[in-house]
Structures are given as C-alpha cells and as structure tokens.
C-alpha cells in the first residue's frame, strides 16, 4: 500500500482537477413536482409516468445500486484507510451519493415509478447489503476498476435510449463519472504492474473469474441481471468486450514481457479474452 501512496495522491489530484463541478439539483424538473396524498396532494398512479419501461428499469436498478452505498463504502474503506487512500474513499463515496440523490429526486418529482414500491425495494436491497470476500489490495483495485467500467456501460446504454433530454443527460453525466472513477483504479493497477507484475496479473485473473455486477431483486422477484440483459442495458455476455477488454488493453496484459512463472500462469487464464 505504501509503495502506491504517491500514485494515489497524484491520481486523486488529477481526478479532482478533471471532474466537472455539476450539481444534481440542476437536472431535476422541479416544476413538475407536487405533493403526495399524505400532504393533501395526489398519490401515485401508473398513468402519471411518462417514462418507457426500459428507462424505468434502468433508472430503478441504478438508484437501488446507489442506495447500497453504505455497504460499498464500508467494504472499500476496510482496505483503504490511510492518507490519500482514505481521502479517495471519501471523494468516491461523495460522488456515488450524488448519483443516488439525482436519480431519486428525478424519479420522485416526475412520478416516473411507484414511490412505495421503490421504497420497499430499497429497504430489501439495503438489508441484504454487500460483502466482499477477503481480498489483497490489488484485488480490490482490479475489482473496483471492473465495477466502475460496468456501471459506465450501463449508463451509456441508458443514455443511448434517448428517452428524453433530461434522462439522456442524467445518464451521460453518470457515465462520465463512472469512467473517471474506473480510470482512477485502472491507473493504480498500471502502477502496480511496475512494482509487482506477477501479483498484479494474478489479481486481475482472479477478479475476472469471479466478477459479478451488483444484482437487485425486482418487485416481481426477477433478477436485475436478466431484466437488464433482455432490455439491452447490461448483458453479462458482453463483459469481455465492453468491461474487461478496454482495461486489459490499457494494462497491456497480452504484450507484457516482465512476467515470471506465476504471472504467466495468470495471463494464460485470461487467454480467452485476447482480442
């Protein structure tokens, strides 16, 4: 961890300098809002939603994944607890929380989804929480890079729906954030290759082998994995091309000449991903 501290500091500075200073409230059409029945207004009815089913699904899954932020913060913070590492955890957590704030406000103000059902799903999803198996630091960095790349894919596909100008811009904004976060973790893996190429390759192979995106149980009991794949928002079958491929290329996984026997064995396990 100490050997990568300078890289963390430099990448944290780069990330903050490059990040757009956008505000979640700017993307919410507040004029569309009105009280629900509890405050004398009108309770939700399906006819009030103007979103297509695919956009509803995509935003519902995105907000529920973001709702589980306390679990992700805890799991990341277990490994990154000192100096610039901890400052990065704080920055990452703040950015992810902003995503949840934006999507939930948009869904509630526009009455795009049933608020009571969404709250039931939130409670259930957060109660289950999220736990990582015990990992080495390099495994955490590789897994995080893949997770952020996958989130960017999901949001880019939501953007491509062209549902309406606001949803399109929300999805684009979140995708940009995810891509920048993926870049942070990926840059640290690149630096780790210079320090410990065999261990780094081993971590990448292990995290590819057990990679799973966050899964949400939907209101009908189905899995978000299946629903998102069917809707064309996120298909696990495309992970080799869209999630793993760009990062393996950045890390020059298949052209490195600095590996020992352990690293070569790990690389052999990634051969099925060679372009």
């Amino acid at each position: 961890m100490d050997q990568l501290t300078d890289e963390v500091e430099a990448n944290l500075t780069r990330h903050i300098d490059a990040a757009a200073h956008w505000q979640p409230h700017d993307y919410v059409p507040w004029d569309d809002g009105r009280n629900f029945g509890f405050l004398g207004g009108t309770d939700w009815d399906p006819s009030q939603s103007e979103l297509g089913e695919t956009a509803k699904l995509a935003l519902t899954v995105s907000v529920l994944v973001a709702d589980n932020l306390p679990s992700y913060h805890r799991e990341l913070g277990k490994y990154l607890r000192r100096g610039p590492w901890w400052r990065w955890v704080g920055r990452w957590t703040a950015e992810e929380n902003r995503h949840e704030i934006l999507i939930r406000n948009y869904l509630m103000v526009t009455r795009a989804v049933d608020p009571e059902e969404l709250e039931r799903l939130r409670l259930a999803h957060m109660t289950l929480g999220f736990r990582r198996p015990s990992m080495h630091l390099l495994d955490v960095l590789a897994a995080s890079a893949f997770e952020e790349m996958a989130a960017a894919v999901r949001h880019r596909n939501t953007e491509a729906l062209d549902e309406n100008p606001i949803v399109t811009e929300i999805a684009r904004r979140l995708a940009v954030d995810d891509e920048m976060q993926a870049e942070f973790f990926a840059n640290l893996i690149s630096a780790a290759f210079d320090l410990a190429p065999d261990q780094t390759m081993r971590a990448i192979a292990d995290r590819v082998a057990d990679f799973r995106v966050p899964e949400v149980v939907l209101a009908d009991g189905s899995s978000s994995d299946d629903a998102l794949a069917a809707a064309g928002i996120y298909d696990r079958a495309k992970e080799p091309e869209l999630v793993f491929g760009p990062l393996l290329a950045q890390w020059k996984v298949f052209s490195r000449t600095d590996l020992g026997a352990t690293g070569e064995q790990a690389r052999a396990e990634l051969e099925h991903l060679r372009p």
Side-chain angles (χ1 to χ4, degrees):
M1 180 181 287
D2 291 341
Q3 292 172 294
L4 286 173
T5 297
D6 289 345
E7 287 291 333
V8 177
E9 189 75 72
N11 274 279
L12 177 56
T13 299
R14 176 199 55 77
H15 180 91
I16 292 173
D17 288 346
H21 299 291
W22 63 275
Q23 300 297 327
H25 63 264
D26 286 335
Y27 294 81
V28 179
W30 299 103
D31 282 347
D32 292 352
R34 58 195 187 278
N35 289 344
F36 290 96
F38 184 76
L39 293 180
T42 304
D43 280 332
W44 185 84
D45 181 87
S47 64
Q48 297 167 356
S49 177
E50 298 180 358
L51 282 190
E53 292 304 314
T54 301
K56 288 181 192 177
L57 170 67
L59 293 179
T60 295
V61 172
S62 288
V63 77
L64 290 173
V65 170
D67 276 327
N68 221 3
L69 181 60
S71 293
Y72 294 109
H73 170 88
R74 179 188 65 237
E75 292 300 308
L76 195 59
K78 286 195 306 188
Y79 298 93
L80 311 178
R81 299 185 66 86
R82 300 200 304 272
W85 293 98
W86 187 240
R87 292 199 300 277
W88 165 251
V89 171
R91 174 72 188 204
W92 176 87
T93 302
E95 291 180 356
E96 291 296 317
N97 191 41
R98 184 163 57 179
H99 295 180
E100 185 273 339
I101 292 168
L102 168 55
I103 302 172
R104 182 170 295 279
N105 282 343
Y106 175 82
L107 293 176
M108 294 299 100
V109 167
T110 63
R111 298 187 174 228
V113 300
D114 182 347
E116 292 188 10
E117 180 180 277
L118 187 63
E119 178 63 5
R120 287 193 295 270
L121 291 173
R122 185 190 71 84
L123 288 171
H125 187 57
M126 290 189 69
T127 299
L128 287 175
F130 171 80
R131 293 289 299 274
R132 289 190 193 276
S134 181
M135 288 185 178
H136 186 279
L137 173 64
L138 297 178
D139 293 271
V140 174
L141 297 178
S144 297
F146 292 139
E147 287 164 359
E148 294 301 342
M149 186 65 76
V153 169
R154 190 175 75 248
H155 290 132
R156 286 297 183 191
N157 285 333
T158 304
E159 176 189 6
L161 292 174
D162 200 21
E163 174 71 23
N164 66 48
I166 297 178
V167 169
T168 299
E169 183 58 20
I170 287 173
R172 187 199 69 81
R173 181 66 266 161
L174 302 190
V176 170
D177 277 9
D178 294 330
E179 288 160 355
M180 290 186 62
Q181 292 166 353
E183 182 181 4
F184 178 92
F185 290 114
N187 286 350
L188 293 184
I189 288 290
S190 293
F193 262 121
D194 294 335
L195 297 170
D198 281 12
Q199 287 177 285
T200 304
M201 190 67 78
R202 180 72 268 160
I204 292 169
D206 288 344
R207 300 293 64 84
V208 165
D210 69 0
F211 182 69
R212 297 283 301 189
V213 294
E215 184 178 8
V216 174
V217 178
L218 301 174
D220 62 1
S222 65
S223 163
S224 59
D225 279 4
D226 297 335
L228 291 175
I233 297 298
Y234 189 88
D235 187 349
R236 293 200 66 208
K238 295 183 178 180
E239 286 174 349
E241 172 192 358
L242 301 178
V243 177
F244 305 136
L247 291 171
L248 298 185
Q250 176 180 335
W251 298 326
K252 299 179 174 59
V253 161
F254 296 112
S255 61
R256 304 195 70 90
T257 60
D258 54 357
L259 300 176
T262 302
E264 290 290 0
Q265 174 59 44
R267 177 159 62 182
E269 296 168 22
L270 297 168
E271 191 64 28
H272 64 290
L273 298 173
R274 184 187 287 270

